Amino acid sequence: MIKSALRSAGILSLLALLFTFSGCHRHRKTTSAPNTTDYSDDIQSLVAFSRLSFLRWPNISDYEPLVKTFYDDRNYEIAWTRDGKPTPAAQGFIKAFAEAADKGLNPEDYDNSRWPARIQSLSSGHEDVVAKFDVAMTVNVMRFISDLRIGRVNPQHFNFGIDVANKKYNLAEFISDHAVDITDVPKLLATVEPDSDNYRRTEDALTHYVELARQEPAGSAAQPLPTVTKSLSIGETYPAAGQLEQRLLLEGDIASSAESATQEKTDDAPHVITKRISEGLRAYQERHGLTIDGRLTSETVTSLNVPMSQRVAQLQYALERWRWLPDPYLNPRLLVNLPEFVLRAYSPDHNLEFKMKVVVGKVIGEHQTPVFARMMRYLVFRPYWNVPTSIVRKELIPHIQANHNYLESKNFEVYNNKGQTVSDYTVKQLAQGGLMVREKPGPRNSLGLVKFMFPNQYDIYLHSTPATELFNRTRRDFSHGCVRVQKPADLAAWLLDGQKDKDGKEWSLDKVQQAMNAGPNNYQVNLKTPIPIVIFYVTAEVEEDGHVHFFNDIYGYDESLRKTLEKGPPYPIRPDAVASRPKTDNTV
């Protein structure tokens, strides 16, 4: 018995010894070309930690498991050097890191300034130098590809209803199989970035505005255009008219001398608003969401004094948000840009078909319209407005206490959880939500005559409105959170195009208007094919003709993103504990 045990122990010891000398490699999972394991001990010791002091951003806790998997799958072979020199893939990525600003990213997030010294140190052949180069390259390639794919900050950190999870690569596998041996890094990166014309136009605009920032006269921020106490028209005096003209020339809002043979001579009247300047102001105002009147107003001066560096940042933030959108919503059929107060509708091949003005949630009172992406599934003609209990408490009950007939006089009715109207009720029942309030259908209804539904946790939807005069305003944040559309009948006809009603008749604009004005109340029409809609937020938007439009950061989302990004990686994934979540009763 003892001999048998000793014999078994001896066999196990011999096998262990053989495995040790033979290297005992597990099955290699990666498809990339094999490389040496001479540096495996150094690499294993490096990836055992979540902080690497030789990186610009040492904390790699968000990538540590992926880095370990990357090397484990390749049996701790090095990936980025051969014969003591960077591979073509490594050289390609180092060049891409240096050009990261072209994509709205910060080159130093990927150790841009550190690579020349690292490459030079490879000639020493020291094992720790080679291992550190390899791990640094792996971490930065992972960061770079992830940042281009899904953005740097998870949108859910800002309580936005956009989920990037399905866009994520298995980075360990993707980089090992597709990046390590690549010879054309730009071609690979093109497949990583969003396949969207909106994204590509924004990227092109960024390049242009980076150049404009370089051209901006030195000290222009220190010497802004003087403000005005009243709006100035053609022929009126403005001491900085020459400076104003140069500012309008910078972005092409007025033609340069070479482009305009018929331009006015301003040398004789350097302090006067000319027709040429006024036309430039109109073009500028149109691009910046200002009242388009060709007058020099205080609001226009404030906008003109925004430095080009800030316009560059706005385009960078726009690129970040475009990267957030999941594939079904990257090229949505409907897109509402909140700070622009505009809805756009696109064809299936994503050509712009029309756009219209919208009214969005008020800045004051936590009524901001949330950012999210969903599928539009149905319309309701002549809808009820089910008033949220919070609005009942805040806005209706004070009137009811003063006049018990207030609800009836304002086209409201009270109903129970069975949908039955109730005439005998108390304020306490309404305040506690035991009984609910709804506004009756019809042209006076706050939702107008049609609403467009894409079920979501915020209870937000598009709808028409009887308050059409608000569409004449330049700034249109007046709602409790829902989005009011300027041309609801046109939108409904567009959504229902090619679809038949219950009687087998084709929907048309006339039929839509009939349903809105004379059809049955609360009439639901399901869309045959759900339509992706994105409630979005970019303060820099590039039109199909290449003109760049900028808007005010009405909800402060750009500023929140700036503060988060300037802290550097690892960037947050979850919302801050103090962040307020969007109200689920932000309606109308």
Side-chain angles (χ1 to χ4, degrees):
M1 187 76 170
I2 293 174
K3 287 183 179 180
S4 176
L6 288 172
R7 189 161 46 248
S8 297
I11 291 171
L12 289 173
S13 298
L14 180 60
L15 286 172
L17 197 60
L18 287 171
F19 284 140
T20 299
F21 285 111
S22 68
C24 189
H25 293 303
R26 296 179 300 101
H27 175 66
R28 191 173 182 274
K29 295 183 180 179
T30 179
T31 61
S32 61
N35 208 325
T36 180
T37 58
D38 289 350
Y39 308 94
S40 59
D41 290 344
D42 295 272
I43 288 178
Q44 286 188 65
S45 65
L46 289 174
V47 301
F49 298 96
S50 61
R51 291 188 65 86
L52 299 175
S53 60
F54 53 90
L55 297 178
R56 166 65 181 89
W57 298 107
N59 185 343
I60 66 162
S61 56
D62 49 342
Y63 288 96
E64 179 189 7
L66 297 169
V67 174
K68 285 181 177 177
T69 300
F70 173 84
Y71 283 107
D72 194 52
D73 286 353
R74 56 192 301 110
N75 293 324
Y76 289 87
E77 300 170 358
I78 57 172
W80 305 103
T81 61
R82 290 185 184 275
D83 301 322
K85 296 179 181 179
T87 63
Q91 294 175 41
F93 277 109
I94 290 171
K95 186 175 186 293
F97 299 156
E99 298 169 350
D102 295 343
K103 299 183 180 299
L105 302 174
N106 182 356
E108 286 307 304
D109 280 357
Y110 316 102
D111 286 12
N112 177 54
S113 62
R114 302 185 178 211
W115 291 110
R118 286 175 180 156
I119 292 173
Q120 188 174 5
S121 67
L122 284 175
S123 60
S124 69
H126 293 162
E127 291 183 359
D128 65 324
V129 170
V130 176
K132 285 181 179 178
F133 180 95
D134 214 81
V135 172
M137 182 61 68
T138 299
V139 171
N140 282 291
V141 169
M142 283 187 175
R143 280 177 171 163
F144 191 58
I145 285 181
S146 178
D147 292 350
L148 284 177
R149 180 69 177 172
I150 61 173
R152 290 161 286 182
V153 186
N154 191 318
Q156 294 181 357
H157 169 68
F158 304 106
N159 292 307
F160 293 170
I162 297 175
D163 187 1
V164 300
N166 290 335
K167 285 187 69 176
K168 285 184 177 181
Y169 289 135
N170 178 335
L171 283 172
E173 179 181 299
F174 180 85
I175 291 171
S176 196
D177 290 350
H178 301 286
V180 167
D181 293 334
I182 195 75
T183 56
D184 191 342
V185 169
K187 183 177 180 181
L188 174 68
L189 297 180
T191 67
V192 171
E193 293 183 272
D195 184 13
S196 159
D197 288 339
N198 285 319
Y199 178 85
R200 285 184 283 269
R201 285 197 298 267
T202 305
E203 201 170 58
D204 291 342
L206 174 63
T207 301
H208 177 59
Y209 271 82
V210 167
E211 180 58 32
L212 291 184
R214 293 192 186 103
Q215 295 176 18
E216 195 167 39
S220 60
Q223 293 183 333
L225 291 166
T227 191
V228 293
T229 56
K230 68 179 187 71
S231 61
L232 301 179
S233 303
I234 296 173
E236 295 191 88
T237 300
Y238 181 60
Q243 183 185 349
L244 170 60
E245 182 171 356
Q246 290 303 310
R247 176 62 183 81
L248 293 169
L249 274 166
L250 182 65
E251 290 184 79
D253 292 300
I254 58 177
S256 65
S257 299
E259 295 170 335
S260 178
T262 60
Q263 68 172 355
E264 297 171 80
K265 299 294 184 182
T266 59
D267 295 341
D268 298 333
H271 304 307
V272 172
I273 301 295
T274 64
K275 180 181 178 182
R276 171 177 162 82
I277 289 176
S278 178
E279 290 173 350
L281 287 171
R282 287 183 65 88
Y284 182 90
Q285 290 163 342
E286 181 180 5
R287 291 193 306 107
H288 291 78
L290 304 170
T291 301
I292 306 170
D293 57 12
R295 296 169 177 263
L296 185 63
T297 64
S298 59
E299 188 178 22
T300 304
V301 172
T302 298
S303 179
L304 284 162
N305 281 331
V306 173
M308 290 296 105
S309 58
Q310 183 171 326
R311 299 308 189 195
V312 167
Q314 288 177 259
L315 288 160
Q316 291 170 339
Y317 303 150
L319 287 171
E320 174 77 3
R321 294 193 180 107
W322 282 115
R323 294 182 187 114
W324 290 344
L325 293 180
D327 288 339
Y329 302 100
L330 182 57
N331 294 299
R333 299 291 307 280
L334 290 173
L335 186 142
V336 174
N337 188 23
L338 297 173
E340 187 182 5
F341 312 109
V342 163
L343 173 146
R344 287 176 173 79
Y346 296 91
S347 65
D349 53 358
H350 209 64
N351 291 316
L352 180 67
E353 297 207 333
F354 63 85
K355 59 183 179 179
M356 66 179 68
K357 297 176 181 179
V358 297
V359 172
V360 304
K362 290 183 282 191
V363 171
I364 299 172
E366 295 188 356
H367 293 302
Q368 296 95 328
T369 303
V371 174
F372 64 103
R374 291 293 184 274
M375 299 298 287
M376 183 176 288
R377 299 188 179 278
Y378 62 95
L379 288 66
V380 179
F381 291 106
R382 302 182 63 83
Y384 286 97
W385 174 38
N386 299 313
V387 186
T389 302
S390 66
I391 295 179
V392 171
R393 285 195 294 262
K394 293 176 186 176
E395 301 183 22
L396 296 185
I397 283 181
H399 293 289
I400 299 170
Q401 290 172 326
N403 174 13
H404 192 71
N405 295 319
Y406 175 81
L407 293 179
E408 289 76 8
S409 68
K410 296 295 182 180
N411 202 40
F412 291 99
E413 63 185 16
V414 177
Y415 67 102
N416 59 25
N417 56 13
K418 295 181 180 179
Q420 300 166 330
T421 56
V422 176
S423 58
D424 187 17
Y425 56 87
T426 66
V427 167
K428 183 178 180 180
Q429 287 175 304
L430 298 179
Q432 293 179 343
L435 293 176
M436 287 73 74
V437 177
R438 64 188 177 194
E439 190 175 14
K440 298 176 185 178
R444 294 170 54 198
N445 185 285
S446 298
L447 302 186
L449 294 168
V450 61
K451 64 179 181 179
F452 307 84
M453 304 301 292
F454 36 103
N456 58 82
Q457 69 268 40
Y458 309 108
D459 197 22
I460 296 295
Y461 43 87
L462 310 184
H463 64 86
S464 57
T465 176
T468 55
E469 70 280 358
L470 295 178
F471 293 113
N472 296 324
R473 304 281 189 94
T474 301
R475 176 164 175 161
R476 296 186 290 277
D477 56 317
F478 298 107
S479 82
H480 282 82
C482 278
V483 179
R484 308 173 190 173
V485 296
Q486 180 187 24
K487 300 177 181 178
D490 291 347
L491 178 58
W494 179 81
L495 287 164
L496 295 172
D497 183 45
Q499 189 168 322
K500 296 180 179 179
D501 66 6
K502 61 182 180 180
D503 298 323
K505 296 180 180 178
E506 292 274 348
W507 281 97
S508 63
L509 181 59
D510 287 344
K511 188 169 181 58
V512 164
Q513 290 171 334
Q514 182 182 6
M516 291 170 64
N517 295 314
N521 291 337
N522 221 42
Y523 177 51
Q524 179 172 322
V525 179
N526 296 329
L527 294 180
K528 184 178 179 180
T529 303
I531 296 290
I533 177 171
V534 176
I535 309 298
F536 207 40
Y537 192 99
V538 288
T539 60
E541 189 275 330
V542 188
E543 298 281 276
E544 285 70 15
D545 60 6
H547 286 103
V548 187
H549 292 214
F550 294 100
F551 314 102
N552 291 332
D553 184 19
I554 59 170
Y555 292 163
Y557 291 162
D558 276 4
E559 179 63 12
S560 296
L561 182 56
R562 182 193 68 78
K563 290 179 178 178
T564 301
L565 290 173
E566 72 178 4
K567 296 175 184 177
Y571 296 110
I573 298 174
R574 297 175 180 83
D576 289 334
V578 296
S580 60
R581 300 193 67 81
K583 304 287 185 182
T584 55
D585 56 7
N586 281 352
T587 53
V588 186

